[in-house]
Amino acid sequence: MSDIFEHPSTTVCVMDASGRLGFGLVDSLLQRGYTVHAAVQNDCHEEQFDVLSCDKEKLKVFVADPFDYQSIVDALKGCSGLFYSYEPPQDQPNYDEFTAEFEARAAHNVLEACAQTDTVDKVVFASSVTAVIWRDDVKSISSDLDEKYWSDINFCRKYKLWHGLSKTLAEKAAWALAMDRGVSIVSINAGLLLEPNLSLSNPYLKGAAEMYEDGVFVTVDLNFLVDAHICAFEDISSYGRHICFNHVINRHEDTVELTKMFTPAMPTPPQSCEEDMKIIPQKITNKKLNKMIVEFASRTAQIDN
C-alpha cells in the first residue's frame, strides 16, 4: 500500500468534542475504525455520546480544559493526531473583545501540548472564513480571496467583528507555535456552518450584509466539513490553510432561504424582477480544498483497485 495515507487503525483526539463539528468528527472517525479520545470541557457532556451506534469500546471521553495544560496532555496521550476546534465556555457563549484573547491562549496551550507529545504527527485546526475575509481592500483585490489572505486585526477591532478577530488571532497563534516547534498542522477555514439551531445571534453573522455585497458570504454543511477535516488528516500531502464551503450566498433567493432557517414563520418578502435576477460575483475560492479532496479520492480509488 502506498505511504501517502495515514492508517485509520490509529488513535486520534477530538477537542472540543461537545460542539457540533466535534461530535460529528467523533461519530465519523469511529465509523471509519479509529480509536477516538473525545475531549470535552466538562463532564456534563459525556452522556451525549450515548446516542452513537458505533463501537463504544473505541471511544474514550476525557474532560480537558484548554487552559489546563495537564488535562490536554492526558487527552492527547497515545494519539497520533488532533482535530481541534474551539467552543466558548458555557458561562461565556458569546463572542466579544475578550473572547479573542481566550481563544488565542487556548490555541497556544493546545499546540504547546502537541509539541510536547511525542506521538502527535498532525493537527487539523478548525478555523473560519472570518479569519480570511475581513479587510478594507476586498473590493480592490482583483483576484478571488484564497488561503494567502488574512483578516486585518485592526479592521476587526474597529468594526467589532469579534468572531473574525478571535479566529484570526487563534489561528495565527497556532501557526506561529507550530512552525516554531515543528508541529505539522493543517487548518480548515470554514464558512458558516448550517445547523438546525442556527440563529441570527450566531457571531459569524456579524457583518453578513457586507459579506453578501462583497461576494464572500459562504456556508458549509456539517457532513462536508467533517469529511474535509478527515481528508486533511488522512492525506499526508496536505499542507497549509484550506478555505472550506459548499454553497455561496450571492443571490436574492439564497438570502430568502437562509432567512427561513432563522425565522421559519416569517413570510417571504416581495421582490422585484431585478432583485430576483441579480447575482453578486463570487470573490472567494475553495479550489485548494476541492483539489485536495479530488486527488485524495483518486489515489484512494487507485489503491482500492
Side-chain angles (χ1 to χ4, degrees), residues 234-254:
E234 292 186 348
D235 185 352
I236 62 173
S237 67
S238 65
Y239 66 95
R241 309 170 82 204
H242 295 74
I243 294 174
C244 179
F245 61 89
N246 57 353
H247 187 61
V248 182
I249 307 295
N250 63 346
R251 301 173 301 165
H252 180 78
E253 63 184 84
D254 297 329

Side-chain angles (χ1 to χ4, degrees), residues 13 32 61 117 166 179 240 267 289 301:
C13 178
R32 291 172 71 88
V61 181
T117 304
S166 296
M179 289 188 288
L289 176 75

Side-chain angles (χ1 to χ4, degrees), residues 145-184:
L145 293 182
D146 61 16
E147 289 78 9
K148 70 175 174 286
Y149 290 97
W150 288 86
S151 289
D152 184 289
I153 291 171
N154 293 326
F155 184 88
C156 290
R157 286 200 171 102
K158 179 179 179 180
Y159 294 102
K160 300 182 179 180
L161 298 163
W162 305 129
H163 188 271
L165 179 65
S166 296
K167 296 304 178 184
T168 303
L169 291 178
E171 189 186 348
K172 284 191 171 186
W175 277 108
L177 194 143
M179 289 188 288
D180 182 59
R181 303 299 300 279
V183 177
S184 175

Side-chain angles (χ1 to χ4, degrees), residues 66-67 72 84-89 92 95-113 125-127 150 153 157 162-178:
F67 301 105
I72 302 170
Y84 176 75
S85 60
Y86 178 82
E87 294 290 334
Q92 195 179 25
Y95 277 78
D96 56 29
E97 58 186 316
F98 302 107
T99 308
E101 179 185 346
F102 285 5
E103 189 163 349
R105 281 175 50 208
H108 182 278
N109 290 346
V110 170
L111 266 294
E112 177 62 36
F125 188 92
S127 187
W150 288 86
I153 291 171
R157 286 200 171 102
W162 305 129
H163 188 271
L165 179 65
S166 296
K167 296 304 178 184
T168 303
L169 291 178
E171 189 186 348
K172 284 191 171 186
W175 277 108
L177 194 143

Side-chain angles (χ1 to χ4, degrees), residues 8-57:
S9 58
T10 192
T11 300
V12 295
C13 178
V14 177
M15 182 187 303
D16 184 344
S18 62
R20 182 83 171 156
L21 170 60
F23 184 82
L25 281 166
V26 170
D27 188 16
S28 187
L29 288 164
L30 287 171
Q31 291 185 38
R32 291 172 71 88
Y34 286 86
T35 295
V36 179
H37 289 189
V40 296
Q41 290 190 33
N42 56 67
D43 53 15
C44 71
H45 293 295
E46 292 185 40
E47 294 180 358
Q48 76 179 91
F49 301 106
D50 292 343
V51 301
L52 296 178
S53 57
C54 16
D55 187 357
K56 298 296 197 320
E57 292 184 0

